[in-house]
Amino acid sequence: MNRRHRAVAVAIAAAFLASPLRADSPPAWVNDYQAPATRLIDEATRDHFAWNRLALLTDTIGARLSGSPQLDRAIAWAVSEMKRDGLENVHTEKVMVPKWVRGNEGAEIISPSRHTLAMLGLGDSVGTPRDGVEAAVVVIHGFEELEAHAQSLRGRIVLLNVPFTTYPETSRYRRAGASRAARHGAVAVLVRSIGPDGLRLPHTGELSYAADVPRIPAAAISSEDADLIERISTRGEKVVVRLKMEAHLEPDVESANVVGELRGRERPDEIVVVGGHLDSWDVGAGATDDGGGCVVAMEALRIMNKLGLRPRRTVRVVLWTNEENGGRGGVGYRDRHRDELRNHIAMIESDNGVFRPLGFGVAGSDGVRQTVAAIASLLVPLGASSVTPGGDGADIAPSIREAHIPGLSLEVDGSKYFTVHHTQADTIDKIDPAEMAKCAAAMTVMAYVLSDAPTNVLSGIR
Ligand SMILES: [Zn+2]
């Protein structure tokens, strides 16, 4: 935080101490937005435009892994859709991305009896030799246990069988498990899928290799299959698994972030960003993660434009590339826009699914939180007025951390998200059109008011 920011922050904190805000008594300036907010909400929720647009993306293009022709098609599609919406300055911004290719893959228990495992190789994993890796499995339930059994892992396949609790708690086994096991001589790793149990779905996701140990292949298996291996092992029988994966990394390829704007009518150099990530994993159709987030961000600008509500500042939609296995799009945006980051009023990311909206997560000062809470009071009709910690989504994080930009995340009912996350089941039928329309409405109102609010109000958050 530089001196100017500190001075502003102190002034704002003082202002808020003098007049504490409550969601049920928003400040007078917010009341001026009641009428436009009602119009924006009505427009967003009167039909299923957002859901139909997402269906077009997921049905005709489908999954969009970095480096795939499908992602290239999705980028071209987004450009043409933004132009069709009448947005300004629609363009792509080149980003080089890693190209990981899954290839054919499979795993089976070959002893004591044959069982095909429901598996998905982990993103960025190396492959196996052509004939696969065949070894006895050691079942491990956490990193402490892994270290305690360090002597018995050599030449084995390690199964990290840790039931899903929360994503941050259990995704670390997917991310770090391969290198933690390789350090003690394991030849491959299987990870119990990071998601609630159900219907034998493997969940893929990115792993991260340590630089100083051999890279070993790693795959997720369904929770049911992890439990199967565990039961047989617990009876004292040796479980032998054969894993075959063709996965490999190819040289980086060109990709792009997609950008469109509604230029501000008074202060076009000041910017509010809304966005989601256009890439997805290569399974399912990337509907929830994060096609829906992209579409509701696009909706914010389409709906304002359609109603002729041009805000004081510029609203910019950004569809980032390569969130899932590299984060290059978010870093690329920060680097390309470094000179104007100080003019970013706020950045709003939707990457939690487009289920029933609850409100916004906020990363920023108390002043930011109070301002967002005041605007969120306009979202009471949607049931989306809550303001909680959060707001530092993966694609906006590089920019908001570098320039102390207030960050917001659309928060939704999370009960279904991790059931389909990174699986073949991430398809549009899991998304309710009316709930998605409400997400679009919440994004639109928040982006509109942040980009239009009186300057004296926003001097508090930036
Ligand atoms: Zn995502």
Side-chain angles (χ1 to χ4, degrees), residues 154-408:
R154 186 157 302 278
R156 302 296 183 86
I157 294 175
V158 168
L159 166 61
L160 275 160
N161 189 19
V162 184
F164 178 73
T165 49
T166 65
Y167 192 68
E169 183 65 32
T170 40
S171 62
R172 61 203 179 103
Y173 298 108
R174 183 193 77 208
R175 187 163 285 281
S179 287
R180 293 288 294 259
R183 204 172 285 286
H184 304 302
V187 293
V189 161
L190 302 174
V191 180
R192 183 193 183 100
S193 282
I194 311 306
D197 297 354
L199 304 180
R200 219 170 158 217
L201 265 180
H203 297 236
T204 191
E206 192 184 22
L207 62 65
S208 171
Y209 286 123
D212 59 342
V213 287
R215 298 179 169 213
I216 60 172
I221 61 173
S222 72
S223 56
E224 290 92 334
D225 288 348
D227 287 341
L228 166 66
I229 293 172
E230 168 109 35
R231 282 196 304 277
I232 301 172
S233 300
T234 304
R235 293 187 198 112
E237 287 196 78
K238 185 164 87 170
V239 178
V240 178
V241 162
R242 183 186 296 140
L243 175 69
K244 280 190 186 180
M245 294 170 58
E246 293 179 352
H248 62 277
L249 204 55
E250 296 184 4
D252 287 1
V253 296
E254 189 174 327
S255 185
N257 294 332
V258 183
V259 177
E261 293 181 337
L262 272 187
R263 299 291 294 171
R265 69 174 195 278
E266 271 180 25
R267 303 170 77 91
D269 293 342
E270 296 182 358
I271 298 152
V272 171
V273 166
V274 289
H277 65 87
L278 195 52
D279 69 304
S280 73
W281 281 106
D282 57 335
V283 293
T288 285
D289 188 10
D290 181 32
C294 291
V295 170
V296 297
M298 291 164 74
E299 282 291 87
L301 283 75
R302 183 187 73 86
I303 291 166
M304 285 180 220
N305 192 39
K306 183 171 180 198
L307 297 184
L309 290 171
R310 179 177 292 270
R312 210 180 298 267
R313 302 174 189 81
T314 294
V315 194
R316 176 182 292 167
V317 57
V318 183
L319 307 184
W320 288 280
T321 190
N322 187 230
E323 188 273 345
E324 295 292 3
N325 62 330
R328 302 268 188 93
V331 169
Y333 182 87
R334 177 198 66 194
D335 292 348
R336 178 183 285 251
H337 296 275
R338 201 165 242 136
D339 290 346
E340 62 172 11
L341 288 181
R342 77 178 77 83
N343 297 337
H344 281 51
I345 299 299
M347 298 180 79
I348 313 174
E349 182 164 358
S350 173
D351 189 17
N352 297 313
V354 287
F355 303 108
R356 182 171 56 84
L358 303 177
F360 286 87
V362 179
S365 64
D366 282 352
V368 174
R369 212 160 26 249
Q370 298 270 15
T371 302
V372 172
I375 299 170
S377 69
L378 298 166
L379 305 176
V380 167
L382 297 168
S385 59
S386 88
V387 172
T388 50
D392 55 347
D395 299 296
I396 62 174
S399 298
I400 67 174
R401 285 177 193 161
E402 169 142 326
H404 308 289
I405 302 164
L408 281 73

